[in-house]
Amino acid sequence: MAEAPKIIDLPSVIEPHLDGGKLISYTSRYLTKAGENYGSIMLAVIANIQKPSGEIEDLPLVAKLPPITNDFFWKLFKPERTCLTEIVFYRYLSAALRSMQLEEGIEESQLFDGFPQYYGSRISLNPDTEVVDRDAVLVQENLQTMGFKAGNRHVMFNLEQTKFVLHETAKYHALPLALRIKKTEEFNQHIRPYIRRFNMNGDMPAEVKEQLNSDLFTEVALATNNNDNYVNRFKKLMKDYDDFFCKPDAKDGLYTTVAHCDLWINNLMLKYDENGAPCKIKFVDFQIAQYESVAHDIIFFLFSSVEIPALENHMDELLLLYYKAFIDCLKSVNVPTDEYSFVGFMKEIHRCAPIEICHAVFMAKIILADNSTMPDDYKDMGMDVMSKNLGGKEISEKIGHIIRLAEKYKFLFDN
């Protein structure tokens, strides 16, 4: 793998977060391989820190850079928007949610702790600019050294893991919603401007978009034994999916919150207890977070990242588990919940489900892409990797199951 990009003037970024410590030196390497991350470059950093006492320690960090070596992904992911969105999670949202919970009487040990610790950020070396450039960086704790394990995109979450993730995702959704209700002015000033509708495909070359659509329809045909009914349905869904991102921002609603909008196995890190049960979670990669319904995250997570038997046999149980955890979290910060019926929640799930089923089918080729088709260097990554995986057995089976289960639960066709 190529040498990792250099981070210019790292001390000015992290030293304000070191309690008086100084950065003496650092080493870095790529944290992820090509195919594990598309919208950013992730570096594992070992920072040599001198504490105020004079003691020297190594601090394991992760530095997240925009896609500085890949012009295609720079244009696709629009760091001028996505970097600002993610920084807001660390600079403001995490602290605001913590303060709100404490004000509502929640004990320290019971606080939601789903964000990595923040060690600074910048959008440019120029302190006077508001434009993100190729010197942007976000630094956070290295969760792997804290015992958290990254998901494996080829190994879906089992039932136990899925229940845990949904329970914590309900908190991730409910708390920003409560913040919007209880501290509307702060929310509108510090958060809402950075989570507006994001159309990642807006600048995608027409020929690339056409190829992606053609590949998706081919995959649906292969997965359904050339069933024209499903292929035509996905042609309409793909148009609906594209139109969705061109719509105005979502309006305030019972289930509208700071949705992750990319909630799949690679963006969740779990910690396990001595019995192997998940006990802690960290949500990562907030680049394309948007103000949207919780249902988008729920459906996309389930159909992109969960074992088929869990979906086959426990869908009702999983949705009820999420709903109860969501209501409990709202109640814990004294938000009235009389309007939040389970019937209304399920209507919201069904309203948003078709678009997210399309999203999950589209992502199946990315999630299950054969490692051998990935380039060695991130700069060589392109959307053509999806065509290289066209018709793969694992991908075709996954898409077939998604379509079958989506139809079973009335998430694919209109009721």
Side-chain angles (χ1 to χ4, degrees):
M1 184 175 287
E3 183 180 356
K6 300 296 183 185
I7 306 172
I8 300 173
D9 195 17
L10 184 59
S12 68
V13 177
I14 70 171
E15 285 183 355
H17 303 271
L18 297 179
D19 297 324
K22 297 292 183 182
L23 176 64
I24 306 302
S25 63
Y26 80 93
T27 60
S28 66
R29 59 174 176 81
Y30 281 103
L31 179 68
T32 55
K33 298 178 181 179
E36 301 296 333
N37 195 277
Y38 287 79
S40 60
I41 293 174
M42 307 291 290
L43 303 181
V45 174
I46 300 296
N48 194 237
I49 305 298
Q50 184 176 40
K51 295 182 176 181
S53 64
E55 181 185 355
I56 304 294
E57 71 168 2
D58 285 337
L59 180 64
L61 301 170
V62 169
K64 187 169 188 176
L65 314 179
I68 57 177
T69 63
N70 191 307
D71 291 339
F72 176 79
F73 284 125
W74 181 281
K75 188 174 183 179
L76 193 67
F77 282 91
K78 301 178 180 64
E80 62 273 15
R81 187 274 191 189
T82 54
C83 285
L84 293 174
T85 298
E86 186 150 41
I87 287 171
V88 161
F89 271 75
Y90 291 93
R91 275 189 180 169
Y92 185 82
L93 183 59
S94 179
L97 297 184
R98 175 183 171 85
S99 295
M100 179 185 68
Q101 291 174 88
L102 290 172
E103 289 170 9
E104 297 299 333
I106 296 179
E107 296 181 6
E108 182 89 22
S109 62
Q110 300 302 310
L111 296 178
F112 175 71
D113 187 30
F115 301 109
Q117 185 174 340
Y118 175 60
Y119 281 94
S121 61
R122 67 164 181 245
I123 62 171
S124 172
L125 290 172
N126 180 357
D128 298 321
T129 188
E130 296 181 357
V131 179
V132 175
D133 63 28
R134 293 175 187 257
D135 290 307
V137 63
L138 167 69
V139 184
Q140 62 197 54
E141 66 180 325
N142 188 325
L143 293 168
Q144 292 182 0
T145 66
M146 304 296 292
F148 289 86
K149 295 182 179 180
N152 181 338
R153 60 189 173 88
H154 290 282
V155 182
M156 301 290 101
F157 285 132
N158 62 29
L159 181 61
E160 181 181 34
Q161 292 167 317
T162 302
K163 288 181 176 180
F164 180 76
V165 170
L166 284 175
H167 187 274
E168 297 305 301
T169 298
K171 299 177 188 177
Y172 168 89
H173 286 150
L175 291 172
L177 193 156
L179 186 70
R180 185 253 291 173
I181 292 172
K182 302 178 80 68
K183 299 190 176 185
T184 305
E185 185 175 347
E186 290 184 36
F187 185 90
N188 288 340
Q189 179 181 351
H190 295 289
I191 299 173
R192 195 187 288 265
Y194 302 96
I195 54 172
R196 303 196 65 188
R197 181 79 71 205
F198 176 54
N199 185 4
M200 190 169 68
N201 296 340
D203 292 330
M204 183 180 289
E207 63 274 15
V208 175
K209 180 61 177 172
E210 289 172 7
Q211 185 63 53
L212 292 176
N213 285 351
S214 176
D215 288 351
L216 182 140
F217 305 145
T218 298
E219 290 287 6
V220 171
L222 290 171
T224 61
N225 197 27
N226 295 308
N227 187 312
D228 288 340
N229 193 31
Y230 290 117
V231 174
N232 291 332
R233 177 60 175 139
F234 272 87
K235 286 181 178 179
K236 181 181 183 303
L237 278 181
M238 201 63 199
K239 183 179 184 306
D240 292 343
Y241 184 72
D242 290 338
D243 291 346
F244 171 75
F245 290 106
C246 296
K247 290 180 179 180
D249 294 340
K251 296 180 180 180
D252 293 349
L254 289 176
Y255 296 99
T256 319
T257 188
V258 184
H260 190 285
C261 292
D262 198 21
L263 196 65
W264 63 290
I265 198 165
N266 264 30
N267 291 332
L268 298 161
M269 298 190 69
L270 302 183
K271 193 171 186 176
Y272 299 85
D273 63 20
E274 62 276 7
N275 298 315
C279 59
K280 289 186 179 181
I281 189 171
K282 297 290 183 180
F283 296 84
V284 298
D285 198 356
F286 308 108
Q287 292 171 287
I288 61 175
Q290 298 173 60
Y291 190 59
E292 252 307 338
S293 171
V294 303
H296 287 280
D297 282 349
I298 296 168
I299 292 296
F300 180 61
F301 164 69
L302 288 173
F303 282 86
S304 69
S305 305
V306 174
E307 287 181 346
I308 296 304
L311 301 182
E312 184 85 69
N313 302 311
H314 300 277
M315 180 65 74
D316 293 342
E317 176 188 357
L318 292 171
L319 292 174
L320 182 59
L321 180 153
Y322 171 94
Y323 168 78
K324 288 181 176 179
F326 180 82
I327 297 301
D328 287 345
C329 187
L330 289 180
K331 288 180 177 178
S332 74
V333 288
N334 299 307
V335 171
T337 60
D338 293 345
E339 295 183 80
Y340 290 90
S341 70
F342 184 64
V343 171
F345 169 72
M346 288 304 299
K347 285 182 178 179
E348 184 72 1
I349 289 289
H350 282 278
R351 181 182 72 84
C352 301
I355 283 177
E356 292 304 327
I357 294 300
C358 186
H359 187 190
V361 168
F362 176 84
M363 280 290 291
K365 287 184 293 181
I366 294 177
I367 295 172
L368 297 175
D370 192 315
N371 291 334
S372 67
T373 66
M374 297 295 175
D376 293 330
D377 197 321
Y378 176 85
K379 69 179 176 62
D380 298 321
M381 281 292 295
M383 299 308 287
D384 59 333
V385 70
M386 296 179 69
S387 294
K388 293 178 182 177
N389 286 274
L390 186 65
K393 183 175 183 294
E394 187 179 12
I395 294 169
S396 187
E397 288 180 353
K398 173 73 171 181
I399 291 174
H401 284 306
I402 291 174
I403 293 172
R404 178 179 61 81
L405 290 172
E407 186 172 22
K408 173 182 177 179
Y409 295 114
K410 297 181 172 62
F411 293 156
L412 186 58
F413 292 97
D414 297 331
N415 294 328

